[in-house]
Amino acid sequence: MSEDSSKKHSKPIPNSVLDLLISDIFKKNGVNENKIKEKLSDEQKKRIKDMVDDLSSQVDTLIDSNKKDKQ
């Protein structure tokens, strides 16, 4: 991704938009969120949570880096 395009996409996507997109994808593919949640083991839930935490950390680092570059 070029520097110009990364600057264009530096604004975070609101959670409500992400929730809508994910729900729409699930609906199109016949996935029921509640049934999936019930079938996940505690280990799978922990791994998903760890993955989300890691991705959040990477996004925060990227945002901080972009802010420093702009200063």
PDB file of all heavy atoms in Angstrom, residues 45-67:
ATOM      1  N   LYS A  45     -12.487 -19.946  22.444  1.00  0.00           N
ATOM      2  CA  LYS A  45     -12.857 -18.585  22.835  1.00  0.00           C
ATOM      3  C   LYS A  45     -11.625 -17.804  23.272  1.00  0.00           C
ATOM      4  O   LYS A  45     -11.459 -16.637  22.926  1.00  0.00           O
ATOM      5  CB  LYS A  45     -13.888 -18.610  23.958  1.00  0.00           C
ATOM      6  CG  LYS A  45     -15.253 -19.084  23.521  1.00  0.00           C
ATOM      7  CD  LYS A  45     -16.201 -19.168  24.689  1.00  0.00           C
ATOM      8  CE  LYS A  45     -17.532 -19.768  24.275  1.00  0.00           C
ATOM      9  NZ  LYS A  45     -18.449 -19.916  25.413  1.00  0.00           N
ATOM     10  N   LYS A  46     -10.741 -18.465  24.041  1.00  0.00           N
ATOM     11  CA  LYS A  46      -9.520 -17.809  24.505  1.00  0.00           C
ATOM     12  C   LYS A  46      -8.618 -17.468  23.328  1.00  0.00           C
ATOM     13  O   LYS A  46      -8.069 -16.369  23.262  1.00  0.00           O
ATOM     14  CB  LYS A  46      -8.769 -18.702  25.490  1.00  0.00           C
ATOM     15  CG  LYS A  46      -7.513 -18.063  26.053  1.00  0.00           C
ATOM     16  CD  LYS A  46      -6.742 -19.017  26.923  1.00  0.00           C
ATOM     17  CE  LYS A  46      -5.485 -18.417  27.510  1.00  0.00           C
ATOM     18  NZ  LYS A  46      -4.688 -17.610  26.641  1.00  0.00           N
ATOM     19  N   ARG A  47      -8.483 -18.382  22.385  1.00  0.00           N
ATOM     20  CA  ARG A  47      -7.629 -18.126  21.219  1.00  0.00           C
ATOM     21  C   ARG A  47      -8.169 -16.974  20.374  1.00  0.00           C
ATOM     22  O   ARG A  47      -7.405 -16.140  19.882  1.00  0.00           O
ATOM     23  CB  ARG A  47      -7.494 -19.393  20.387  1.00  0.00           C
ATOM     24  CG  ARG A  47      -6.652 -20.457  21.100  1.00  0.00           C
ATOM     25  CD  ARG A  47      -6.601 -21.756  20.379  1.00  0.00           C
ATOM     26  NE  ARG A  47      -5.915 -21.601  19.096  1.00  0.00           N
ATOM     27  CZ  ARG A  47      -5.908 -22.525  18.152  1.00  0.00           C
ATOM     28  NH1 ARG A  47      -6.541 -23.667  18.325  1.00  0.00           N
ATOM     29  NH2 ARG A  47      -5.268 -22.314  17.023  1.00  0.00           N
ATOM     30  N   ILE A  48      -9.478 -16.906  20.215  1.00  0.00           N
ATOM     31  CA  ILE A  48     -10.093 -15.806  19.462  1.00  0.00           C
ATOM     32  C   ILE A  48      -9.857 -14.489  20.184  1.00  0.00           C
ATOM     33  O   ILE A  48      -9.496 -13.477  19.575  1.00  0.00           O
ATOM     34  CB  ILE A  48     -11.598 -16.056  19.231  1.00  0.00           C
ATOM     35  CG1 ILE A  48     -11.782 -17.222  18.262  1.00  0.00           C
ATOM     36  CG2 ILE A  48     -12.285 -14.795  18.716  1.00  0.00           C
ATOM     37  CD1 ILE A  48     -13.205 -17.705  18.146  1.00  0.00           C
ATOM     38  N   LYS A  49     -10.060 -14.489  21.511  1.00  0.00           N
ATOM     39  CA  LYS A  49      -9.831 -13.274  22.299  1.00  0.00           C
ATOM     40  C   LYS A  49      -8.379 -12.828  22.192  1.00  0.00           C
ATOM     41  O   LYS A  49      -8.098 -11.641  22.004  1.00  0.00           O
ATOM     42  CB  LYS A  49     -10.199 -13.494  23.756  1.00  0.00           C
ATOM     43  CG  LYS A  49     -10.069 -12.238  24.600  1.00  0.00           C
ATOM     44  CD  LYS A  49     -10.359 -12.507  26.052  1.00  0.00           C
ATOM     45  CE  LYS A  49     -10.249 -11.276  26.914  1.00  0.00           C
ATOM     46  NZ  LYS A  49      -9.154 -10.393  26.656  1.00  0.00           N
ATOM     47  N   ASP A  50      -7.434 -13.761  22.285  1.00  0.00           N
ATOM     48  CA  ASP A  50      -6.015 -13.423  22.164  1.00  0.00           C
ATOM     49  C   ASP A  50      -5.707 -12.841  20.783  1.00  0.00           C
ATOM     50  O   ASP A  50      -4.938 -11.882  20.665  1.00  0.00           O
ATOM     51  CB  ASP A  50      -5.140 -14.656  22.414  1.00  0.00           C
ATOM     52  CG  ASP A  50      -5.157 -15.100  23.862  1.00  0.00           C
ATOM     53  OD1 ASP A  50      -5.590 -14.313  24.744  1.00  0.00           O
ATOM     54  OD2 ASP A  50      -4.739 -16.258  24.129  1.00  0.00           O
ATOM     55  N   MET A  51      -6.317 -13.414  19.757  1.00  0.00           N
ATOM     56  CA  MET A  51      -6.108 -12.938  18.396  1.00  0.00           C
ATOM     57  C   MET A  51      -6.644 -11.510  18.242  1.00  0.00           C
ATOM     58  O   MET A  51      -5.976 -10.647  17.659  1.00  0.00           O
ATOM     59  CB  MET A  51      -6.794 -13.868  17.389  1.00  0.00           C
ATOM     60  CG  MET A  51      -6.610 -13.467  15.952  1.00  0.00           C
ATOM     61  SD  MET A  51      -7.318 -14.596  14.754  1.00  0.00           S
ATOM     62  CE  MET A  51      -8.989 -14.804  15.336  1.00  0.00           C
ATOM     63  N   VAL A  52      -7.811 -11.248  18.784  1.00  0.00           N
ATOM     64  CA  VAL A  52      -8.403  -9.909  18.704  1.00  0.00           C
ATOM     65  C   VAL A  52      -7.544  -8.910  19.477  1.00  0.00           C
ATOM     66  O   VAL A  52      -7.287  -7.795  19.003  1.00  0.00           O
ATOM     67  CB  VAL A  52      -9.855  -9.911  19.221  1.00  0.00           C
ATOM     68  CG1 VAL A  52     -10.389  -8.494  19.388  1.00  0.00           C
ATOM     69  CG2 VAL A  52     -10.749 -10.702  18.275  1.00  0.00           C
ATOM     70  N   ASP A  53      -7.069  -9.311  20.661  1.00  0.00           N
ATOM     71  CA  ASP A  53      -6.196  -8.429  21.443  1.00  0.00           C
ATOM     72  C   ASP A  53      -4.918  -8.107  20.677  1.00  0.00           C
ATOM     73  O   ASP A  53      -4.458  -6.962  20.666  1.00  0.00           O
ATOM     74  CB  ASP A  53      -5.852  -9.064  22.795  1.00  0.00           C
ATOM     75  CG  ASP A  53      -7.040  -9.111  23.741  1.00  0.00           C
ATOM     76  OD1 ASP A  53      -8.026  -8.377  23.515  1.00  0.00           O
ATOM     77  OD2 ASP A  53      -6.965  -9.885  24.720  1.00  0.00           O
ATOM     78  N   ASP A  54      -4.340  -9.113  20.043  1.00  0.00           N
ATOM     79  CA  ASP A  54      -3.119  -8.916  19.261  1.00  0.00           C
ATOM     80  C   ASP A  54      -3.373  -7.973  18.086  1.00  0.00           C
ATOM     81  O   ASP A  54      -2.583  -7.052  17.833  1.00  0.00           O
ATOM     82  CB  ASP A  54      -2.585 -10.263  18.773  1.00  0.00           C
ATOM     83  CG  ASP A  54      -1.276 -10.126  18.020  1.00  0.00           C
ATOM     84  OD1 ASP A  54      -0.361  -9.453  18.531  1.00  0.00           O
ATOM     85  OD2 ASP A  54      -1.176 -10.702  16.919  1.00  0.00           O
ATOM     86  N   LEU A  55      -4.469  -8.192  17.371  1.00  0.00           N
ATOM     87  CA  LEU A  55      -4.802  -7.318  16.235  1.00  0.00           C
ATOM     88  C   LEU A  55      -5.068  -5.889  16.703  1.00  0.00           C
ATOM     89  O   LEU A  55      -4.641  -4.935  16.051  1.00  0.00           O
ATOM     90  CB  LEU A  55      -6.009  -7.867  15.471  1.00  0.00           C
ATOM     91  CG  LEU A  55      -5.752  -9.128  14.666  1.00  0.00           C
ATOM     92  CD1 LEU A  55      -7.071  -9.687  14.134  1.00  0.00           C
ATOM     93  CD2 LEU A  55      -4.793  -8.878  13.525  1.00  0.00           C
ATOM     94  N   SER A  56      -5.731  -5.735  17.825  1.00  0.00           N
ATOM     95  CA  SER A  56      -5.990  -4.397  18.369  1.00  0.00           C
ATOM     96  C   SER A  56      -4.686  -3.688  18.698  1.00  0.00           C
ATOM     97  O   SER A  56      -4.526  -2.496  18.421  1.00  0.00           O
ATOM     98  CB  SER A  56      -6.848  -4.486  19.627  1.00  0.00           C
ATOM     99  OG  SER A  56      -8.140  -4.894  19.318  1.00  0.00           O
ATOM    100  N   SER A  57      -3.762  -4.426  19.277  1.00  0.00           N
ATOM    101  CA  SER A  57      -2.457  -3.866  19.606  1.00  0.00           C
ATOM    102  C   SER A  57      -1.722  -3.426  18.343  1.00  0.00           C
ATOM    103  O   SER A  57      -1.114  -2.345  18.305  1.00  0.00           O
ATOM    104  CB  SER A  57      -1.634  -4.900  20.371  1.00  0.00           C
ATOM    105  OG  SER A  57      -0.344  -4.432  20.595  1.00  0.00           O
ATOM    106  N   GLN A  58      -1.776  -4.244  17.303  1.00  0.00           N
ATOM    107  CA  GLN A  58      -1.123  -3.891  16.042  1.00  0.00           C
ATOM    108  C   GLN A  58      -1.750  -2.654  15.410  1.00  0.00           C
ATOM    109  O   GLN A  58      -1.040  -1.786  14.876  1.00  0.00           O
ATOM    110  CB  GLN A  58      -1.196  -5.066  15.068  1.00  0.00           C
ATOM    111  CG  GLN A  58      -0.333  -6.233  15.464  1.00  0.00           C
ATOM    112  CD  GLN A  58      -0.465  -7.391  14.493  1.00  0.00           C
ATOM    113  OE1 GLN A  58      -0.711  -7.194  13.305  1.00  0.00           O
ATOM    114  NE2 GLN A  58      -0.295  -8.607  14.987  1.00  0.00           N
ATOM    115  N   VAL A  59      -3.070  -2.562  15.482  1.00  0.00           N
ATOM    116  CA  VAL A  59      -3.767  -1.393  14.933  1.00  0.00           C
ATOM    117  C   VAL A  59      -3.382  -0.145  15.720  1.00  0.00           C
ATOM    118  O   VAL A  59      -3.100   0.909  15.133  1.00  0.00           O
ATOM    119  CB  VAL A  59      -5.294  -1.609  14.944  1.00  0.00           C
ATOM    120  CG1 VAL A  59      -6.032  -0.306  14.661  1.00  0.00           C
ATOM    121  CG2 VAL A  59      -5.689  -2.671  13.938  1.00  0.00           C
ATOM    122  N   ASP A  60      -3.337  -0.242  17.041  1.00  0.00           N
ATOM    123  CA  ASP A  60      -2.945   0.906  17.865  1.00  0.00           C
ATOM    124  C   ASP A  60      -1.530   1.360  17.533  1.00  0.00           C
ATOM    125  O   ASP A  60      -1.259   2.559  17.431  1.00  0.00           O
ATOM    126  CB  ASP A  60      -3.057   0.560  19.353  1.00  0.00           C
ATOM    127  CG  ASP A  60      -4.487   0.409  19.820  1.00  0.00           C
ATOM    128  OD1 ASP A  60      -5.407   0.910  19.123  1.00  0.00           O
ATOM    129  OD2 ASP A  60      -4.699  -0.209  20.879  1.00  0.00           O
ATOM    130  N   THR A  61      -0.630   0.406  17.352  1.00  0.00           N
ATOM    131  CA  THR A  61       0.749   0.731  16.990  1.00  0.00           C
ATOM    132  C   THR A  61       0.801   1.436  15.641  1.00  0.00           C
ATOM    133  O   THR A  61       1.523   2.429  15.473  1.00  0.00           O
ATOM    134  CB  THR A  61       1.615  -0.548  16.955  1.00  0.00           C
ATOM    135  OG1 THR A  61       1.575  -1.181  18.234  1.00  0.00           O
ATOM    136  CG2 THR A  61       3.042  -0.232  16.579  1.00  0.00           C
ATOM    137  N   LEU A  62       0.041   0.943  14.689  1.00  0.00           N
ATOM    138  CA  LEU A  62      -0.003   1.558  13.363  1.00  0.00           C
ATOM    139  C   LEU A  62      -0.559   2.977  13.434  1.00  0.00           C
ATOM    140  O   LEU A  62      -0.022   3.902  12.817  1.00  0.00           O
ATOM    141  CB  LEU A  62      -0.837   0.707  12.407  1.00  0.00           C
ATOM    142  CG  LEU A  62      -0.977   1.214  10.984  1.00  0.00           C
ATOM    143  CD1 LEU A  62       0.372   1.251  10.290  1.00  0.00           C
ATOM    144  CD2 LEU A  62      -1.929   0.337  10.196  1.00  0.00           C
ATOM    145  N   ILE A  63      -1.609   3.171  14.187  1.00  0.00           N
ATOM    146  CA  ILE A  63      -2.216   4.499  14.329  1.00  0.00           C
ATOM    147  C   ILE A  63      -1.233   5.456  14.987  1.00  0.00           C
ATOM    148  O   ILE A  63      -1.067   6.593  14.537  1.00  0.00           O
ATOM    149  CB  ILE A  63      -3.540   4.419  15.112  1.00  0.00           C
ATOM    150  CG1 ILE A  63      -4.599   3.727  14.259  1.00  0.00           C
ATOM    151  CG2 ILE A  63      -4.020   5.809  15.524  1.00  0.00           C
ATOM    152  CD1 ILE A  63      -5.881   3.401  14.997  1.00  0.00           C
ATOM    153  N   ASP A  64      -0.560   4.998  16.050  1.00  0.00           N
ATOM    154  CA  ASP A  64       0.426   5.841  16.720  1.00  0.00           C
ATOM    155  C   ASP A  64       1.560   6.208  15.770  1.00  0.00           C
ATOM    156  O   ASP A  64       2.035   7.350  15.753  1.00  0.00           O
ATOM    157  CB  ASP A  64       0.992   5.144  17.961  1.00  0.00           C
ATOM    158  CG  ASP A  64      -0.017   5.052  19.089  1.00  0.00           C
ATOM    159  OD1 ASP A  64      -1.025   5.799  19.062  1.00  0.00           O
ATOM    160  OD2 ASP A  64       0.203   4.228  20.000  1.00  0.00           O
ATOM    161  N   SER A  65       1.991   5.243  14.971  1.00  0.00           N
ATOM    162  CA  SER A  65       3.057   5.480  14.006  1.00  0.00           C
ATOM    163  C   SER A  65       2.633   6.520  12.976  1.00  0.00           C
ATOM    164  O   SER A  65       3.405   7.408  12.620  1.00  0.00           O
ATOM    165  CB  SER A  65       3.425   4.177  13.319  1.00  0.00           C
ATOM    166  OG  SER A  65       4.343   4.394  12.291  1.00  0.00           O
ATOM    167  N   ASN A  66       1.402   6.423  12.511  1.00  0.00           N
ATOM    168  CA  ASN A  66       0.889   7.392  11.532  1.00  0.00           C
ATOM    169  C   ASN A  66       0.784   8.785  12.139  1.00  0.00           C
ATOM    170  O   ASN A  66       1.060   9.784  11.472  1.00  0.00           O
ATOM    171  CB  ASN A  66      -0.475   6.960  10.996  1.00  0.00           C
ATOM    172  CG  ASN A  66      -0.381   5.841   9.985  1.00  0.00           C
ATOM    173  OD1 ASN A  66       0.660   5.608   9.397  1.00  0.00           O
ATOM    174  ND2 ASN A  66      -1.473   5.128   9.794  1.00  0.00           N
ATOM    175  N   LYS A  67       0.400   8.860  13.408  1.00  0.00           N
ATOM    176  CA  LYS A  67       0.298  10.158  14.072  1.00  0.00           C
ATOM    177  C   LYS A  67       1.679  10.799  14.196  1.00  0.00           C
ATOM    178  O   LYS A  67       1.831  11.996  13.995  1.00  0.00           O
ATOM    179  CB  LYS A  67      -0.324  10.002  15.464  1.00  0.00           C
ATOM    180  CG  LYS A  67      -1.801   9.773  15.434  1.00  0.00           C
ATOM    181  CD  LYS A  67      -2.361   9.632  16.841  1.00  0.00           C
ATOM    182  CE  LYS A  67      -3.852   9.336  16.823  1.00  0.00           C
ATOM    183  NZ  LYS A  67      -4.378   9.124  18.181  1.00  0.00           N
TER     184      LYS A  67
END
